[in-house]
Amino acid sequence: MSAGGGTKAILAALGANLGIAVTKFIAWLLTGSSSMLAEAIHSVADSGNQGLLLLGGKRSTRKATPEHPFGYGRERYIFAFIVSIVLFSIGGLFALYEAWHKIQHPEAIESWKWVPVVVLLIAIGLEGFSFRTAIKESNHTRGKTSWVDYIRRAKAPELPVVLLEDAGALVGLVFALLGVGLTLITGNGIWDGIGTAAIGLLLVVIAGVLAVETKSLLIGEGANPEDVAKLEKAICSGDGIERIIHMKTLYLGPEELLVAAKIAVPPTEQAQEVARHINETEARIREALPIARVIYLEPDIYHPAKATNLTAADTAVAT
């Protein structure tokens, strides 16, 4: 996933959410609707989240240092995880608190009754534009992968985060529109509280999904099976390499993969030939998979008896 595509979707979402937040706060001040307040806080939280994603992307580009020799690529994962916390606490929990308060003390919308409906319809249009941008940018890298698998397997967190946020925002706006609409029709403010509660539960669920998926990236994920196959082919297709004894991969960042492999070389080869074949193998790996930027190849002599006694951890290919 390109950083440019993610940045474009983030900026579109940021612009939409800032505009929506202002109009929602105005609607809340005029009507006192808890759904409007919950949605306004939701938009503020989303705007802050987009700012965090942009900050994480900026910080991840810093050069490696002796203290951090593999660079700062995982900053993007860290800030995406912070986004899930913000969405859960500021968005979800606040909405649930406001819903509880509104259900306990329901109040009808007495003034400026048309304002919430107009604001929500405008917000749906703006969020739809942001969501469309995120879908368009995601399709550049998604290929034939389903949306669920794309969100689960994407190594760059920005677009999946924006997709989930925008989808949640659109559904939340529908909940708010139903709550406000039923309150206006029936004159009973409890529907406003129920709509707010639905928004809160939705945000908590989305935050949980984001936290689980980002946690997996923070712990460390390896290359997918398709990329592993490319690596195996690149390693074994040259001269002087008999086989892969074992190999492990790890994403150091969304666009940087570490490859570590123990490879079998002919027992009669001299050190100079081994070094040349390793250099050629590294070049083939980078050509087959450009994101494989950190490569460690350890030459060894293959012994079938020893190979069968390797532990599962040694023989497993990180996926």
Side-chain angles (χ1 to χ4, degrees):
M1 178 186 302
S2 67
T7 301
K8 184 176 180 180
I10 294 170
L11 291 174
L14 178 60
N17 281 313
L18 287 174
I20 292 169
V22 172
T23 56
K24 288 176 180 175
F25 272 120
I26 293 174
W28 167 65
L29 289 172
L30 292 175
T31 65
S33 167
S34 66
S35 291
M36 285 289 93
L37 179 59
E39 275 296 312
I41 297 298
H42 177 191
S43 295
V44 171
D46 280 354
S47 299
N49 288 343
Q50 273 100 53
L52 287 171
L53 292 175
L54 291 172
L55 178 61
K58 180 68 175 178
R59 291 178 60 85
S60 70
T61 60
R62 290 180 293 167
K63 294 182 179 180
T65 64
E67 186 177 2
H68 299 279
F70 291 112
Y72 294 85
R74 288 197 178 186
E75 289 261 19
R76 290 164 70 178
Y77 300 153
I78 293 171
F79 278 87
F81 188 77
I82 295 174
V83 164
S84 69
I85 297 173
V86 172
L87 196 63
F88 176 80
S89 57
I90 298 180
L93 294 185
F94 178 84
L96 290 174
Y97 167 77
E98 184 65 20
W100 176 82
H101 176 75
K102 193 71 173 185
I103 292 173
Q104 292 291 318
H105 306 284
E107 297 177 2
I109 299 174
E110 301 293 346
S111 59
W112 299 90
K113 296 182 178 181
W114 55 271
V115 170
V117 175
V118 173
V119 167
L120 288 171
L121 291 175
I122 293 173
I124 288 173
L126 291 173
E127 285 290 358
F129 168 75
S130 175
F131 192 38
R132 180 179 177 274
T133 302
I135 290 174
K136 183 179 179 181
E137 295 301 321
S138 298
N139 282 333
H140 292 161
T141 54
R142 184 174 67 92
K144 296 181 179 179
T145 306
S146 69
W147 285 108
V148 173
D149 287 341
Y150 176 72
I151 291 172
R152 294 186 60 185
R153 296 176 59 183
K155 306 305 180 185
E158 290 84 2
L159 282 175
V161 169
V162 174
L163 282 168
L164 285 173
E165 279 190 349
D166 286 349
L170 284 171
V171 176
L173 287 168
V174 172
F175 288 156
L177 190 60
L178 288 173
V180 169
L182 289 172
T183 297
L184 292 174
I185 293 172
T186 65
N188 189 346
I190 196 170
W191 291 109
D192 195 18
I194 293 173
T196 307
I199 294 168
L201 290 173
L202 175 68
L203 293 178
V204 167
V205 170
I206 292 176
V209 173
L210 283 177
V212 169
E213 295 304 322
T214 310
K215 183 197 73 171
S216 178
L217 293 169
L218 280 172
I219 292 173
E221 290 187 359
N224 59 46
E226 293 82 4
D227 288 344
V228 169
K230 293 179 182 178
L231 293 171
E232 292 174 342
K233 182 179 179 180
I235 292 173
C236 297
S237 62
D239 296 330
I241 308 297
E242 293 183 336
R243 65 187 300 152
I244 299 172
I245 298 174
H246 63 83
M247 179 175 67
K248 294 182 180 180
T249 62
L250 179 68
Y251 271 90
L252 301 175
E255 295 161 3
E256 187 172 18
L257 183 69
L258 180 148
V259 179
K262 178 174 285 192
I263 55 177
V265 299
T268 57
E269 273 200 341
Q270 297 181 353
Q272 186 175 0
E273 294 175 326
V274 171
R276 178 169 60 85
H277 290 145
I278 287 177
N279 290 335
E280 292 172 351
T281 302
E282 290 179 351
R284 290 196 304 273
I285 289 173
R286 290 192 170 95
E287 182 179 358
L289 199 63
I291 63 171
R293 299 178 185 175
V294 182
I295 303 171
Y296 296 108
L297 299 178
E298 178 185 353
D300 202 350
I301 307 300
Y302 180 68
H303 299 286
K306 291 183 179 179
T308 56
N309 292 327
L310 289 173
T311 64
D314 289 330
T315 58
V317 175
T319 58

